[in-house]
Amino acid sequence: MTTDPERKPTLREKLLKLQQGYADKVPGRLEDIQGMWQSYLEDGSEDILDQVTSQIHKMAGTAATYGFADLGLRASQAEETLLDFKESNAPERNVDTANNVVKNLTTFKISHKVTM
């Protein structure tokens, strides 16, 4: 992007800036999800499980919009698994499967730098 103060950014530059802003926030959001999941594993609170699922749902909905289809797919898979997990009775819940999809999501790394 040029530094001419009089030049207005193009639509492409604005979109790339939004994409970069989203990419910059992903690691923190993934850490938040991991922290909430860990809290759920420690105390089994259904409220925390609802919060984790909600955050993952939001990520599944926004990631592809910002150009991160792989992240969106992982988030969708995690959301689907957690919804199934929530529907099963507590003694029958497969914590290992749910833990694996959350880990798969929260270890995601954005593989490209957004360039303008």
Side-chain angles (χ1 to χ4, degrees), residues 2 7 33 42 46 49 60 78-79 96 99 106 109-110 112:
T2 181
R7 188 180 81 72
I33 290 169
E42 291 169 6
E46 293 297 311
L49 182 56
E79 178 187 16
D96 290 338
N99 195 47
T106 59
K109 303 283 187 241
I110 292 179
H112 70 278

Side-chain angles (χ1 to χ4, degrees), residues 58-78:
K58 290 175 187 176
M59 184 169 282
T62 58
T65 301
Y66 284 94
F68 301 100
D70 291 344
L71 176 60
L73 179 61
R74 282 190 193 197
S76 293
Q77 291 168 341

Side-chain angles (χ1 to χ4, degrees), residues 2-30:
T2 181
T3 58
D4 180 1
E6 307 248 341
R7 188 180 81 72
K8 292 185 180 182
T10 65
L11 178 59
R12 176 172 164 64
E13 290 167 340
K14 289 178 184 178
L15 292 174
L16 288 172
K17 185 175 181 178
L18 287 171
Q19 185 183 35
Q20 184 61 56
Y22 183 85
D24 291 345
K25 292 176 184 172
V26 166
R29 290 183 177 154
L30 292 174

Side-chain angles (χ1 to χ4, degrees), residues 7-115:
R7 188 180 81 72
K8 292 185 180 182
T10 65
L11 178 59
R12 176 172 164 64
E13 290 167 340
K14 289 178 184 178
L15 292 174
L16 288 172
K17 185 175 181 178
L18 287 171
Q19 185 183 35
Q20 184 61 56
Y22 183 85
D24 291 345
K25 292 176 184 172
V26 166
R29 290 183 177 154
L30 292 174
E31 283 180 28
D32 291 346
I33 290 169
Q34 180 58 41
M36 284 186 277
W37 178 248
Q38 192 60 44
S39 293
Y40 168 76
L41 292 175
E42 291 169 6
D43 80 10
S45 166
E46 293 297 311
D47 288 338
I48 294 173
L49 182 56
D50 289 342
Q51 290 173 22
V52 172
T53 306
S54 175
Q55 290 304 307
I56 290 172
H57 172 78
K58 290 175 187 176
M59 184 169 282
T62 58
T65 301
Y66 284 94
F68 301 100
D70 291 344
L71 176 60
L73 179 61
R74 282 190 193 197
S76 293
Q77 291 168 341
E79 178 187 16
E80 196 172 303
T81 299
L82 288 183
L83 289 173
D84 290 344
F85 180 79
K86 285 172 56 172
E87 288 179 8
S88 60
N89 293 326
E92 298 169 12
R93 287 181 172 167
N94 187 338
V95 175
D96 290 338
T97 299
N99 195 47
N100 286 339
V101 296
V102 172
K103 184 176 182 178
N104 184 47
L105 172 63
T106 59
T107 58
F108 182 84
K109 303 283 187 241
I110 292 179
S111 62
H112 70 278
K113 179 77 174 158
V114 178
T115 56

